Every structure is written in C-alpha cells, then in structure tokens.
Amino acid sequence: MTSTSRGPRAAADGLEIASGDLQVVARVVQLLRLLAGHDTIDLVSAAEELGVGKSTAHRYLASMENHGLLQRRDRNQYEFGVLLAELGTMALSRLGVLDLAGPVMEDICDRVRLTIVLSVWNGTAPVVAQVREDTSRTAHVSIAVGSQLGPDAAQTMVFWAFRDESYYRFREGAPPVNATEAELDEVRRTGVAFRGSPHNGISAVATAVRDQNGQVVATLAAVDIAQFVPEGTDSEVARALLSGAETISRRMVSPLDTTAD
C-alpha cells in the first residue's frame, strides 16, 4: 500500500523548511506560531502541525519544555514558557521601556508612597516586569517580578480597553477581563482603571504606557493596601501615574529628554 504520510508542512508566510539543524529551528518556529494563535497546544495538534508522528512531536515538545520555551499547563497541554517571557522582557528593554521606566517609577513611589508596578502583556494576561516597593510603612504590598495578573486586575482592564491599540497580540482563548464594556469605555475616556479587591484588601490604579507609535507597550500601576489607594480618576495617584506614563512615552521618542514633569 502506498504511504500517504505527508512531510513537514510549509510554515506560514513563506518560511522554507531546510534540512538538518535548520529544519529543527523551522519546526520550533512552527510550533511557537501555532501556540501564538491558541491558548495551549498538545501532542496531537503539534504532530498534525509538523506532519510527523506523535513520537517525533513529543521529542520536540519535551526539548522545548526543557529549554524553557514551553511549560506544561497540565499533563497534556503546553503553554509559553519562562524563557519566552524573559525574551519578551528583553525585547521591551531594547525598546527602552524598562530602562526609562525605572527612574520614573522611583519618583512616583516617593511621591505617593505606594508600590509602583510596570506590567507587560504575555498574550493572555499582564505579567509584572518591574517593581518599586514603597518601604516607608511597615505594612506594604510586595509583588514578585514575573507574577501573572488575573482578569480582575486594573492592569488587565487597561490592556483590554486599549486592545485595538496594543503592541501585543491577544491570543485566542485569552481569559476575558472581568469588566463591563461600559467600564472599559470609562478607562478609554479617562486613561485610568481602578480596581479594589474585597478578598485580599489590595487596590490598584493603572494607566497605559505607549511607544513612539502610540501603541500600548506596558501598564504603569500603583498597588497597595486598599485603605492607602484613593479611588477616582482625578486623585493624586492617578495624576502621578498619567504624568509618569507620559514621561516614559516621551523619553522613548527622545531618550535624552529630561524635561521636568
């Protein structure tokens, strides 16, 4: 009987799959692109995408997991790994966001005495990329870099409100933000999102940071114990965040700009 098995499928946008090591690279890229359009991938979808048997696909998935390109969500499902998050952060660093945000975050932290957080989007949720903790009080909020924020977060509201103006892709199956369209309209109108959590006593105020093309590349937020975080888009904290985000955006265009806020 004639075999009907097919070889590796040509990757999207004309990528030619060569032999040897280049074939390995091309196949890894195929799997990452497949994952970019979905929440997770599994052995069956990987084998189908590559046009190989399950044992070969398993070797690719296992190797990518070992090198941090993938991580398991459960026994059968893989999602983006920590190395890709690190590379994404490095890419933002090349854009200048992280370096430029640091001094601005320090200044805001000193002014409002709250923990200041810069977050990026990983395709499905905000991830904390940089933190400046307020240590002026014995009790304060500590947030680990690399933490993924949930659908209730103020930062999530900002990313979703401006998703049509985002630097990032929103992966298919990304958990929806826990906010109404009216609430997102208010974020678009004011530029600020506020979220309080009755469960853990933590509140946050967030705004968008844009690059030189006007795309949202990060969120800047004040996060702390609820009683210390004022509500309202015209609060001192909200004004400080809006001003700080504008400063970061301006300096992305002109890194030597030291104009006072």
Side-chain angles (χ1 to χ4, degrees):
M1 183 172 65
T2 303
S3 171
T4 57
S5 63
R6 57 190 176 91
R9 196 176 75 186
D13 66 12
L15 177 64
E16 294 183 0
I17 300 179
S19 61
D21 290 342
L22 290 181
Q23 184 184 60
V24 172
V25 173
R27 285 176 168 176
V28 168
V29 170
Q30 276 185 268
L31 292 178
L32 292 177
R33 284 176 172 161
L34 175 65
L35 182 55
H38 300 81
D39 195 25
T40 61
I41 59 173
D42 57 20
L43 181 60
V44 173
S45 62
E48 181 179 348
E49 174 69 18
L50 298 179
V52 300
K54 290 183 181 179
S55 60
T56 299
H58 179 266
R59 288 197 296 272
Y60 275 94
L61 294 174
S63 181
M64 291 170 72
E65 180 184 12
N66 289 337
H67 288 85
L69 292 173
L70 299 177
Q71 64 186 19
R72 288 180 188 264
R73 175 172 292 187
D74 55 38
R75 184 171 179 271
N76 299 312
Q77 301 289 326
Y78 294 82
E79 60 187 2
F80 284 121
V82 294
L83 177 60
L84 292 176
E86 293 173 4
L87 293 175
T89 300
M90 289 172 60
L92 281 178
S93 181
R94 297 295 186 273
L95 287 174
V97 177
L98 299 185
D99 289 340
L100 294 172
V104 175
M105 294 170 67
E106 292 277 8
D107 178 63
I108 298 173
C109 183
D110 290 341
R111 288 165 57 188
V112 302
R113 296 178 60 191
L114 300 172
T115 294
I116 307 302
V117 178
L118 186 82
S119 301
V120 298
W121 185 256
N122 73 354
T124 60
V127 176
V128 175
Q130 197 161 206
V131 179
R132 292 296 184 272
E133 288 186 15
D134 170 57
T135 58
S136 63
R137 294 188 305 268
T138 302
H140 65 277
V141 170
S142 179
I143 302 174
V145 170
S147 299
Q148 181 169 302
L149 306 178
D152 291 323
Q155 295 95 317
T156 308
M157 288 183 66
V158 172
F159 278 119
W160 272 93
F162 297 109
R163 61 190 179 276
D164 293 335
E165 305 166 39
S166 180
Y167 172 80
Y168 307 97
R169 290 183 59 184
F170 279 59
R171 294 214 306 267
E172 181 180 338
V177 61
N178 188 8
T180 66
E181 195 58 40
E183 289 175 316
L184 296 180
D185 283 340
E186 183 68 6
V187 174
R188 287 186 279 267
R189 185 182 71 81
T190 64
V192 176
F194 176 85
R195 266 292 191 255
S197 172
H199 304 296
N200 56 21
I202 304 300
S203 292
V205 184
T207 192
V209 177
R210 298 176 182 270
D211 66 8
Q212 54 267 48
N213 298 315
Q215 294 182 308
V216 175
V217 295
T219 57
L220 190 63
V223 184
D224 221 302
I225 299 170
Q227 70 184 83
F228 299 123
V229 182
E231 297 186 32
T233 57
D234 195 40
S235 68
E236 178 189 1
V237 173
R239 292 196 302 271
L241 291 172
L242 287 167
S243 176
E246 183 180 350
T247 297
I248 296 169
S249 298
R250 187 176 66 240
R251 291 178 182 174
M252 289 183 68
V253 179
S254 302
L256 298 181
D257 184 352
T258 58
T259 305
D261 300 327

